[in-house]
Amino acid sequence: MTEAGMQRMASRVFAALLADDDASMTSAELALALQISPAAVSGAINYLTQVSMVGREREPGSRRDRYRLHNEVWYTTFAGRDRVLTRWEQTLRDGARTLGEHTPAGARIAETAAFFEFVQSELGAMMDRWEAHRKTLDLPTAKGSREA
């Protein structure tokens, strides 16, 4: 995950949660499992929360937080990119207009905006195809049973 651009510590924390049976750990559990400081856990959790890959929940009857992977984390993560791509595309289109779409820099930025528009339209269709494909699979659920 680090090679794909995720921060090193966030990658380690994400992997620990992904490998945990209930995909949930406290800060102390993460620090112990990964042999890292509570500050390192906090920084990683802040990043993972910001990119909507991990949620924070209160442990019942305790003041301790548990950090949990979202259900269908990859689907949710990619689906959430739609808002980011829309913002980037609009910013790039504004930049191309400001520079002049027929200048070399403006043309480059306009092409980048067109790329993000294309990716965004393809991402929606791909997510729909995934949902249809997922229904054909006999995947175990988080509880260990098979999906119907």
Side-chain angles (χ1 to χ4, degrees):
M1 298 190 75
T2 303
E3 288 179 14
M6 185 182 284
Q7 299 170 357
R8 181 175 175 271
M9 202 55 64
S11 296
R12 292 183 67 203
V13 168
F14 180 80
L17 290 170
L18 191 62
D20 187 69
D21 279 344
D22 67 355
S24 169
M25 298 173 90
T26 65
S27 180
E29 291 168 339
L30 285 163
L32 182 64
L34 298 172
Q35 297 292 296
I36 59 176
S37 72
V41 172
S42 179
I45 290 295
N46 284 338
Y47 171 80
L48 292 168
T49 302
Q50 184 179 15
V51 296
S52 301
M53 294 179 82
V54 170
R56 201 177 293 228
E57 57 189 38
R58 186 66 64 178
E59 205 170 62
S62 170
R63 294 187 330 199
R64 256 192 293 194
D65 285 331
R66 290 195 75 74
Y67 304 105
R68 178 177 304 282
L69 290 183
H70 291 298
N71 290 334
E72 299 182 11
V73 67
W74 294 116
Y75 181 90
T76 303
T77 299
F78 278 88
R81 295 297 180 247
D82 187 48
R83 290 183 305 278
V84 172
L85 292 173
T86 298
R87 259 186 307 201
W88 286 357
E89 181 189 337
Q90 187 56 54
T91 300
L92 289 161
R93 290 204 186 284
D94 292 345
R97 277 192 297 277
T98 299
L99 292 171
E101 293 180 7
H102 300 292
T103 66
R108 210 174 19 256
I109 292 173
E111 180 181 349
T112 304
F115 172 78
F116 282 116
E117 180 181 26
F118 174 79
V119 167
Q120 191 171 7
S121 68
E122 291 296 309
L123 183 60
M126 183 183 69
M127 299 306 273
D128 292 342
R129 287 192 307 275
W130 164 248
E131 281 297 311
H133 177 70
R134 186 173 185 264
K135 290 175 184 174
T136 69
L137 304 174
D138 185 29
L139 295 173
T141 65
K143 304 281 188 225
S145 62
R146 296 284 181 191
E147 289 186 354

